[in-house]
Amino acid sequence: MAQHFSLAACDVVGFDLDHTLCRYNLPESAVLIYNSFAEFLVKEKGYDKELLTVTPEDWDFCCKGLALDLEDGNFIKLADNGTVLRASHGTKMMAPEVLAEEYGGKEWKYFMSDTGMACRSGKYYFYDNYFDLPGALLCARVVDSLTKNNGQKTFDFWKDIVAGIQHNYKMSAFKENCGIYFPEIKRDPGRYLHTCPESVKKWLRQLKNAGKILLLITSSHSDYCRLLCEYILGNDFTDLFDIVITNALKPGFFSHLPSQRPFWTLENDEEQEALPSLDKPGWYSQGNAVHLYELLKKMTGKSEPKVVYFGDSMHSDIFPARHYSNWETVLILEELRGDRDGKPEESEPLEKKGKYEGPKAKPLNTLSKKWGSFFIDSVSGLENTEDSLFYTWSCKRISTYSTIAIPSIEAIAELPLDYKFSRFSSSNSKTAGYYPNPPSILSNNETLTAK
């Protein structure tokens, strides 16, 4: 494979929406998401009222790449070889001797080194995006509460978390104005969303003018997608995209057969009829990558049009687009932003108070003191020498399934379309695919070999 990647060589450029084209004000959105679940658990399911009170320090627990064992309430951070680097029971971090006794340098029981390892199953849940992360803090505090009050050893709260998702985020929630999340975003979008800078809008038009087909593929429902796009891009946003696919139910969009997941037409944001194939550009719901690719062949007149897809979730965007569709993939990795400048997210002026003011979350893209680096870590309790350092499982997946990783679309919007990015590949260095800079911890440990 070529050492370099260029947008100019692509026929089709696709985008996820949430945390990709649409950047959120993370300290504000995190509190809102947390509250949307916590209030449901307390008011509808009878959980401890303590869950409603969060201190600014509590947010340090949030770190992408953690797995929650749904049976024992343990959170774990995996090395690239499947061993456990750090662990907690609820929010309480395990001491080195407890970690050694519990996991003992062995492969985690659910770890699979091949591509088949799911991020979600009935036994565990991986937290790999900013929408999920506030839920990690909430679940950890639920475990704390159940352990303290009931002395529980096994846990079955997950069914209540799922019910909270259904209550707040079901397809009709936006229209019905139910739950906490959608009514609050509608009330004050400027508090939670960053508008796209002019450089990004200009870049999208530049791609279009260069003859690229532009796609938007989001798991958000049609009405919420419309609100986000109008706010971040303007009322004429539909002119930018040839095809908009909402309620895409990723990763199933990539992994399911066409018969399992047909495209649906939409009218007034409601699904109307299932389609046997996709024949023309437009705005659709659900669907599958196979039928989409057939349409892209027709639109480009090429037997194998080259597609690149931008997304923030390894589980929903990057892995499935690469593994099932063999698309080029650009990972939006805001940890690169937090790693370099350490500045807090831009926030609204102090006078802009609201119902969900709450204690500010730390920017979720910054380093967790409890969990350490997202990219490299040492085995807890061992001397922090080069020999005891491991790439994390998350870091390994980035270099395996991403073409390149960038902190935001804005970071590349002013580059010429034929700019040649160094791509991740087995023949390049581990840091090659990060643009504009690799994480400092990776630069400082570039000689580290994978265990």
Side-chain angles (χ1 to χ4, degrees), residues 139-279:
C139 288
R141 298 186 74 217
V142 166
V143 170
D144 289 348
S145 170
L146 294 174
T147 304
K148 182 178 82 177
N149 297 328
N150 309 329
Q152 277 181 241
K153 293 276 189 281
T154 58
F155 299 86
D156 63 352
F157 61 84
W158 191 251
K159 64 184 186 305
D160 297 328
I161 298 291
V162 172
I165 294 171
Q166 178 61 14
H167 174 69
N168 279 286
Y169 304 100
K170 63 186 176 186
M171 199 165 182
S172 59
F174 186 94
K175 188 168 282 187
E176 293 169 6
N177 230 33
C178 74
I180 285 174
Y181 183 82
F182 290 127
E184 181 62 14
I185 295 275
K186 284 189 208 175
R187 187 187 71 78
D188 192 1
R191 180 168 171 184
Y192 301 101
L193 310 172
H194 293 304
T195 54
C196 279
E198 198 51 49
S199 63
V200 171
K201 296 180 196 174
K202 188 176 167 188
W203 179 76
L204 291 170
R205 289 192 291 270
Q206 189 185 358
L207 287 167
K208 199 118 169 71
N209 294 338
K212 311 298 180 193
I213 292 170
L214 265 58
L215 313 174
L216 187 61
I217 309 175
T218 174
S219 291
S220 287
H221 296 135
S222 180
D223 42 16
Y224 185 53
C225 170
R226 197 179 299 279
L227 177 145
L228 294 182
C229 288
E230 285 179 356
Y231 184 80
I232 67 168
L233 290 167
N235 293 339
D236 59 349
F237 76 91
T238 49
D239 297 343
L240 291 169
F241 301 102
D242 299 277
I243 301 169
V244 176
I245 300 165
T246 55
N247 193 27
L249 303 167
K250 296 175 291 181
F253 179 84
F254 296 102
S255 62
H256 280 48
L257 297 170
S259 58
Q260 297 172 290
R261 192 65 68 75
F263 280 94
W264 288 72
T265 59
L266 283 163
E267 194 175 311
N268 299 324
D269 297 320
E270 298 279 353
E271 293 181 352
Q272 299 297 312
E273 61 176 316
L275 300 172
S277 62
L278 197 60
D279 298 322

Side-chain angles (χ1 to χ4, degrees), residues 386-404:
E386 192 171 55
D387 290 339
S388 70
L389 286 174
F390 290 79
Y391 288 111
T392 63
W393 183 67
S394 300
C395 185
K396 170 94 175 287
R397 282 168 69 82
I398 291 169
S399 60
T400 305
Y401 300 112
S402 315
T403 303
I404 60 171

Side-chain angles (χ1 to χ4, degrees), residues 298-311:
K298 283 189 211 163
M299 291 174 71
T300 59
K302 295 185 176 182
S303 60
E304 292 187 1
K306 189 170 182 181
V307 185
V308 59
Y309 187 62
F310 288 71

Side-chain angles (χ1 to χ4, degrees), residues 69-81:
D69 186 318
L70 295 175
E71 185 182 28
D72 61 22
N74 290 351
F75 285 80
I76 62 162
K77 180 183 181 183
L78 283 175
D80 61 350
N81 63 3

